[in-house]
Amino acid sequence: MENVGVLLVSYGSRAASIADALTRSENYKVTIFDADKQKNPFIYKRSKDIMLGLDVNKIGEFAKKHKDEIDFGIVGPEGPIIEGVRDIVEKEAGIPMICPTREFAIEGSKLSQRILLEKCCPRANPRFKVFDRKDYAGSTDDVRKDVFKWLDEFDNQVAVKPDLPATGKGVGVWGDHFNTREELFDHFMSIYNTGPVIIEEKIDGEEFSLQFFSDGKKLVPSPCVRDYKRAFDGDRGPNTGGMGCYKDAGDRLPFMDSRDLEEGLEIGRKIFRELKGDGSNPGLRGIPLYMAYTCAGDGLKVFEINSRLGDPEAQNIMPVIKDDFVDVCFDMVNGELKDIEFEPLATVVTYSVPMTYGGYRKKFTGSKRVDLTDVESLRDSYNGRLKVYPGSMELGDDGKTYTCSSRTVCCVGLGEDIATARKISLKGVTSIDGPLWNRWDIGSREHIEKSIRHVKRLRGSGPE
Ligand code: GLY
């Protein structure tokens, strides 16, 4: 077996799922060099060296220190991608990185995404308007007047979004986060002081994500997944980074029409062509597009574009990549990416999160100890059908594991259908020993049927 060294820029369960895909390789013996926000127990166990912190210059130094042992790098979280980790590591250490360059990290500006979409896929672009402090010379009355005038166009049915990434948390939606214009304007002002704000029409529909891999020449899709952003069952409570996610055994989801999948793929290809130009553009290597769509009454609308794998969306697809993932990585680096084959299995990801996450409890002063011994034994008895990926969790100096403040650990069930995968995922979650909670309805029949009915109501017909 050939030895391969990989620089993994990590944060959370998504990176654990990448580490798992790499170390599952049957063709290569993989050694990981981990740059991580904290000592993730899963990745730490599989790494030769680790640096803590995600400062891109320090990651450059860490890469340089190990440059003779590392063949390529791959990046999970958005922060370092937007801050140009690829540019720095490639320049400092000469290690090819799998993620877009700073210039092509289009996740960095929602406004640029809207402008790009207007150019190549206007039909999929919700109507939007930008409010920028520099146009108002500090006058709150003027901007309020213009905001309210824009709200008239949509009978208040809008989403208010900061230009800069805020992992969903700076986004406010009429009817969900505010019910009066004053409340909307308070939210608007809280982000307007930090940069431009976009107010766009609220799209009624069901969401799904489509993540694309690329070598800079070819764009290769992965199966569609559905994220659960709200904290509580029944899609109630505040937005979170995502409490769980499901994918079906095939490429699309039960509430989607075959035309939705085709349209989702076509929009991705058009954006890619627009960014790439003629020939190839290595700046787009990695996962240049993770498209977040809404299945609306009149087809698809794009509500967000990211330049990385999603979390938890990655955890749905990494366990079912049938090809050797190290070969896929080499193909991306060498500009030889082929179609990626996925196991025809459904996957359900359920996140276990700390007591105060999503406002579940105001305060929790108990122990933060999380013991994965039982769930890992269960995993070992499941023959690859249960994955346990620690996220915002760290290995303490005492050798025990503790939750940090964000999504702690996820359990991914793999099955012939969504119901089977969900059962396994929940069995995993209930075997975790720790002060954590979770949503119970990720991939539930009731939730999926509600999504199907919703799309049917909007379109007057069900999925074909
Ligand atoms: N699941 C949302 C995100 O990764 O941005």
Side-chain angles (χ1 to χ4, degrees):
M1 260 214 301
E2 202 178 314
N3 286 316
V4 168
V6 180
L7 169 66
L8 182 58
V9 180
S10 306
Y11 176 51
S13 306
R14 168 182 46 203
S17 76
I18 298 173
D20 188 33
L22 289 166
T23 51
R24 265 203 322 267
S25 173
E26 289 179 358
N27 300 335
Y28 304 89
K29 182 174 177 331
V30 174
T31 303
I32 292 175
F33 297 84
D34 184 33
D36 209 321
K37 189 157 179 211
Q38 69 250 345
K39 235 188 228 179
N40 181 304
F42 186 95
I43 305 172
Y44 184 77
K45 220 184 274 174
R46 291 159 175 77
S47 299
K48 181 168 174 190
D49 194 9
I50 175 169
M51 67 154 272
L52 295 181
L54 293 174
D55 178 297
V56 288
N57 292 308
K58 295 210 171 104
I59 296 173
E61 286 164 24
F62 180 68
K64 206 166 163 186
K65 179 172 128 194
H66 292 292
K67 74 179 166 57
D68 296 332
E69 301 167 275
I70 296 177
D71 293 273
F72 61 83
I74 182 163
V75 187
E78 58 274 27
I81 299 178
I82 295 167
E83 285 160 29
V85 71
R86 168 156 165 206
D87 311 55
I88 291 171
V89 172
E90 291 190 345
K91 181 162 174 269
E92 296 296 321
I95 295 168
M97 295 296 284
I98 299 175
C99 73
T101 54
R102 186 179 190 146
E103 183 186 352
F104 290 99
I106 60 169
E107 172 163 8
S109 163
K110 290 201 180 63
L111 176 55
S112 317
Q113 295 171 21
R114 290 282 168 241
I115 293 168
L116 179 67
L117 277 163
E118 207 52 33
K119 216 162 150 192
C120 58
C121 314
R123 222 205 52 73
N125 211 11
R127 288 177 63 203
F128 70 99
K129 202 176 178 81
V130 188
F131 297 86
D132 194 333
R133 282 181 80 77
K134 68 177 169 14
D135 301 326
Y136 288 95
S139 162
T140 308
D141 283 347
D142 287 352
V143 73
R144 180 202 295 268
K145 214 160 75 203
D146 282 0
V147 166
F148 286 8
K149 201 165 141 205
W150 185 238
L151 296 182
D152 289 340
E153 297 263 332
F154 305 102
D155 197 17
N156 299 324
Q157 299 300 312
V158 297
V160 180
K161 299 179 171 180
D163 176 42
L164 300 175
T167 51
K169 290 163 206 145
V171 176
V173 179
W174 183 273
D176 293 339
H177 303 99
F178 26 75
N179 290 296
T180 67
R181 287 190 169 193
E182 286 311 321
E183 283 169 3
L184 180 149
F185 195 67
D186 282 349
H187 176 78
F188 172 91
M189 285 308 286
S190 71
I191 46 182
Y192 178 68
N193 289 327
T194 57
V197 182
I198 301 163
I199 301 186
E200 62 189 37
E201 67 176 312
K202 174 180 168 179
I203 305 295
D204 190 11
E206 290 293 318
E207 293 172 16
F208 74 94
S209 309
L210 195 44
Q211 303 167 95
F212 293 90
F213 292 82
S214 178
D215 58 358
K217 275 192 236 170
K218 185 175 157 99
L219 193 65
V220 175
S222 59
C224 297
V225 293
R226 165 59 179 254
D227 187 15
Y228 284 60
K229 291 212 167 55
R230 297 304 198 89
F232 307 133
D233 283 354
D235 294 326
R236 288 172 298 113
N239 273 343
T240 67
M243 296 294 291
C245 216
Y246 71 85
K247 88 168 257 305
D248 209 342
D251 288 342
R252 65 181 155 112
L253 302 173
F255 57 84
M256 290 169 63
D257 207 289
S258 56
R259 282 166 303 197
D260 291 322
L261 177 58
E262 260 324 300
E263 200 180 344
L265 293 169
E266 190 50 30
I267 292 169
R269 285 184 208 118
K270 280 186 178 160
I271 296 172
F272 185 67
R273 271 200 299 274
E274 185 65 35
L275 292 168
K276 175 172 75 78
D278 296 331
S280 68
N281 182 340
L284 291 163
R285 180 197 304 143
I287 296 86
L289 301 175
Y290 139 30
M291 305 293 303
Y293 291 116
T294 304
C295 277
D298 59 346
L300 296 195
K301 299 282 181 198
V302 176
F303 75 82
E304 191 170 277
I305 308 175
N306 298 297
S307 314
R308 56 175 167 92
L309 287 167
D311 183 350
E313 289 93 329
Q315 294 92 299
N316 284 102
I317 63 161
M318 297 312 287
V320 289
I321 292 183
K322 213 168 165 180
D323 301 284
D324 190 305
F325 188 60
V326 179
D327 280 326
V328 172
C329 289
F330 275 125
D331 287 350
M332 280 193 271
V333 166
N334 296 328
E336 294 168 352
L337 187 62
K338 301 159 200 79
D339 287 340
I340 300 173
E341 225 187 304
F342 294 87
E343 300 282 359
L345 291 173
T347 56
V348 173
V349 180
T350 310
Y351 251 123
S352 286
V353 300
M355 300 310 281
T356 51
Y357 189 78
Y360 187 73
R361 290 278 190 281
K362 280 198 175 70
K363 199 164 146 186
F364 178 74
T365 54
S367 163
K368 293 190 171 161
R369 175 86 210 281
V370 174
D371 187 349
L372 299 181
T373 312
D374 288 354
V375 69
E376 286 178 348
S377 308
L378 184 73
R379 175 197 63 196
D380 295 343
S381 71
Y382 259 104
N383 238 335
R385 294 282 170 119
L386 172 64
K387 301 280 186 183
V388 181
Y389 296 134
S392 180
M393 191 169 168
E394 71 183 337
L395 184 62
D397 293 338
D398 57 3
K400 294 178 179 160
T401 46
Y402 297 88
T403 182
C404 305
S405 57
S406 196
R407 294 169 293 173
T408 312
V409 50
C410 73
C411 290
V412 190
L414 285 72
E416 310 307 326
D417 50 43
I418 297 171
T420 311
R422 174 170 177 260
K423 220 182 204 166
I424 297 171
S425 170
L426 288 177
K427 223 167 169 180
V429 158
T430 49
S431 303
I432 297 170
D433 176 0
L436 306 174
W437 66 279
N438 58 277
R439 269 183 78 156
W440 297 101
D441 62 347
I442 312 293
S444 71
R445 192 165 53 84
E446 293 74 13
H447 195 281
I448 293 173
E449 281 174 358
K450 198 167 152 218
S451 299
I452 296 172
R453 282 198 305 274
H454 187 192
V455 175
K456 200 167 172 180
R457 197 170 65 243
L458 292 170
R459 294 181 173 171
S461 66
E464 280 166 18

